[in-house]
Amino acid sequence: MARSNTRNLSELAVISRAKRFTFAVLLACTACGSSERAPPATRTAFIGLNVVDVETETVRPEQTIIIEDDTIIYVGAAEDARELIAEETGELAGAFVVPGLWDAHVHIRGGDQAIDANAAWLARYTAHGVVHVRECGTDMPGAVQAFNHAIDQGSLVGPRIHSSMRKVDGPRFGMGGWGAIRLEAPSDAGPALDELEASGAYFVKLHEASIDRDNYLAVLQEAERRGLKTAGHIPPSVSFDEALEAGLDGFEHANILLKGASRSAEELRALAEQSYQTTGEYDGVYRYQAHFERLDWSVLDESLQKMVDRGVALTPTLAPVDLSDPQALEDHAEFQYVPGVIRVSWQGRIDRAARQLAAPSRYQQAIDDLSFQLTRRAHQAGVMIMAGSDTGAYNSFRYPGAALHNELAALARAGLSPWDALRAATLHPATWLGVEDRYGSIAAGKSADLVFLNRDPTVDIGNLRGIRAVISQGRRLR
């Protein structure tokens, strides 16, 4: 039987606690940099705007946007909207307007003791224009449900959370396996997906700390049968092609492409499986190092074409964090907003970085550098790229919202144009999740999620940092 496929008293206590937001938590959210929310006006017109259309790659000047409650009802010239009675505001005239930003790879986690901290920290996303996040594995699913409810009601400041809920992994705990559903047999795949569907998961996130070949493929095949989106890593015992053919819809982290860049893939897969059967652990060399040593760009190009043909996306998580000087990182303006329990969770990664500095791997830095080339190649092949920061507890010095802007700068370094980077943080995540009819671009009928900028981001993606105002679901947050 899969472990923890039913809610126990401990999890119910977490859910109950998550729903009892105290005034202290809500005040903490406001203190994190967002102004108090007023009830949205019934209908408001913003005039004199430069609307950035990520679908057509055009910037349309002198536009009016009219919102009603939480929905855009008009985008166009002011003279064509005279019959739409609305309160006009010229306060933001001249601003460049982009859709509300998405961070397509974050984690909301840290256990029961970190629920209030995560609630407070959410406001930092919206302070930087991020009004949607794709959450890739939580250990507090009940809290995530409660957060979304409170955000929708306007009693909590934060982005809309499109969560995979608990990730799926094998029976043993490994790095990154916090809160996972732990499969022991292929027959556990069905109950695991039952739990995720019941919890409201938007997609299925597969991890690879200890999941074996049969269990991994069983989850993908069952998810495919149910029409559920899947994303994640690939364990050493499964080849790149096998994961694609079984139905994996999204790869997390650019270095995973190395598994699709070697003509020795089947040999390496068999060696990894042999190692697992002998020791009960996956030898780290078969994750990426052995593939790196046998890199063949022509094989990678073949793999990338398969991704394009199947509509498989890549979230590269490129932006580096240099942990060699933690004190310098603490000088970042965002550090003051990091809750204490999150800071404590970061220490493990800081300690590992110190050990690696003492005995550096000749592969790790080379693979990190290669990730930029892998991302460039994927983008040039036509693979859908999504911008994700990997922010969350345990992932040291990745700050909500600010880390997404760092990731967009890294994507630019990897060869994406400003338009490409914009889509990676707006339209692409919405499209991948199948919610593009409501989110991801600026058009009548879509959610009133808007970021107003001082300068044109299509000239320099760094201009996304110069935010004048943020509107999420029709509410002014900044």
Side-chain angles (χ1 to χ4, degrees):
M1 293 292 292
R3 299 181 184 175
S4 303
N5 281 341
T6 58
R7 287 177 175 163
N8 54 32
L9 291 177
S10 175
E11 184 175 350
L12 289 172
V14 171
I15 295 172
S16 175
R17 182 182 174 202
K19 292 181 177 178
R20 296 198 306 272
F21 289 116
T22 63
F23 285 113
V25 171
L26 298 181
L27 287 172
C29 291
T30 301
C32 277
S34 297
S35 59
E36 183 179 343
R37 288 184 176 190
T42 301
R43 188 174 286 186
T44 304
F46 298 91
I47 62 175
L49 304 173
N50 299 291
V51 173
V52 179
D53 189 331
V54 295
E55 295 184 283
T56 64
E57 289 198 10
T58 56
V59 179
R60 302 197 301 273
E62 293 300 323
Q63 297 287 286
T64 291
I65 297 177
I66 302 177
I67 65 174
E68 184 173 276
D69 295 328
D70 64 350
T71 301
I72 299 169
I73 64 168
Y74 178 81
V75 182
E79 57 268 24
D80 296 333
R82 288 174 181 156
E83 74 280 4
L84 297 173
I85 300 171
E87 176 187 346
E88 288 191 3
T89 174
E91 173 196 358
L92 298 170
F96 290 83
V97 189
V98 298
L101 301 178
W102 288 65
D103 189 328
H105 190 122
V106 309
H107 294 283
I108 298 173
R109 63 191 181 192
D112 188 10
Q113 71 275 14
I115 289 176
D116 289 351
N118 276 283
W121 216 22
L122 290 173
R124 296 312 303 163
Y125 284 106
T126 56
H128 293 278
V130 177
V131 300
H132 294 274
V133 295
R134 177 173 166 263
E135 200 283 325
C136 293
T138 182
D139 57 5
M140 51 179 73
V144 168
Q145 290 175 327
F147 293 165
N148 264 338
H149 178 74
I151 288 164
D152 288 344
Q153 295 300 310
S155 59
L156 180 67
V157 177
R160 180 70 188 174
I161 305 166
H162 305 262
S163 179
S164 66
M165 296 302 181
R166 299 171 66 192
K167 64 181 71 172
V168 179
D169 207 334
R172 287 174 299 283
F173 183 85
M175 181 180 174
W178 300 280
I181 299 173
R182 302 200 172 278
L183 274 60
E184 294 182 341
S187 59
D188 294 336
L193 296 185
D194 289 342
E195 176 185 330
L196 294 177
E197 288 192 278
S199 69
Y202 281 80
F203 63 103
V204 178
K205 167 69 182 298
L206 290 115
H207 201 242
E208 43 108 32
S210 67
I211 192 168
D212 73 12
R213 172 186 177 76
D214 292 342
N215 292 348
Y216 182 89
L217 294 175
V219 172
L220 285 179
Q221 290 158 1
E222 179 62 15
E224 186 80 355
R225 188 185 70 80
R226 298 185 187 203
L228 301 175
K229 283 276 192 178
T230 53
H233 306 186
I234 305 176
S237 60
V238 176
S239 72
F240 191 90
D241 283 351
E242 286 175 317
L244 283 179
E245 289 165 7
L248 189 64
D249 297 302
F251 292 141
E252 306 304 305
H253 316 300
N255 55 16
I256 205 170
L257 296 179
L258 284 169
K259 289 180 65 70
S262 171
R263 296 198 187 279
S264 304
E266 177 54 33
E267 175 193 348
L268 296 173
R269 188 208 64 74
L271 289 170
E273 183 65 13
Q274 180 181 357
S275 170
Y276 180 81
Q277 295 299 332
T278 302
T279 66
E281 301 287 344
Y282 282 123
D283 188 333
V285 73
Y286 297 118
R287 279 194 166 85
Y288 304 115
Q289 178 179 317
H291 296 271
F292 172 75
E293 291 175 338
R294 307 184 191 195
L295 174 63
D296 185 325
W297 290 104
S298 64
V299 176
L300 175 66
D301 290 340
E302 293 170 10
S303 296
L304 294 174
Q305 188 57 53
K306 293 173 185 175
M307 289 178 66
V308 174
D309 293 343
R310 290 170 169 80
V312 177
L314 172 67
T315 309
T317 63
L318 287 178
V321 177
D322 182 1
L323 296 175
S324 62
D325 187 356
Q327 185 57 53
L329 292 168
E330 290 179 10
D331 292 336
H332 194 289
E334 288 294 313
F335 187 75
Q336 64 182 307
Y337 301 114
V338 182
V341 67
I342 303 293
R343 296 184 190 184
V344 170
S345 79
W346 285 358
Q347 192 59 47
R349 185 158 292 196
I350 294 169
D351 292 344
R352 284 193 299 275
R355 291 193 295 271
Q356 289 170 356
L357 287 170
S361 165
R362 68 186 181 95
Y363 293 99
Q364 191 54 58
Q365 187 59 54
I367 290 174
D368 289 346
D369 292 342
L370 183 64
S371 291
F372 284 85
Q373 297 180 54
L374 295 170
T375 299
R376 179 181 296 109
R377 202 89 167 200
H379 172 62
Q380 291 171 343
V383 172
M384 176 189 283
I385 305 295
M386 299 193 291
S389 69
D390 213 0
T391 294
Y394 310 113
N395 289 359
S396 309
F397 299 106
R398 295 184 185 273
Y399 300 106
L404 176 71
H405 291 281
N406 294 340
E407 181 67 16
L408 291 170
L411 290 176
R413 177 181 160 194
L416 275 69
S417 73
W419 282 110
D420 297 326
L422 267 175
R423 280 189 289 271
T426 54
L427 187 60
H428 286 179
T431 300
W432 189 87
L433 283 166
V435 294
E436 72 276 14
D437 60 333
R438 184 66 176 160
Y439 308 116
S441 60
I442 300 173
K446 294 204 172 187
S447 180
D449 300 330
L450 304 166
V451 181
F452 298 79
L453 307 169
N454 293 317
R455 296 181 177 84
D456 186 352
T458 70
V459 174
D460 181 348
I461 197 64
N463 287 339
L464 278 177
R465 297 179 189 267
I467 296 174
R468 288 175 62 177
V470 177
I471 293 176
S472 176
Q473 300 182 68
R475 297 186 180 96
R476 177 81 176 262
L477 302 184
R478 172 174 167 175

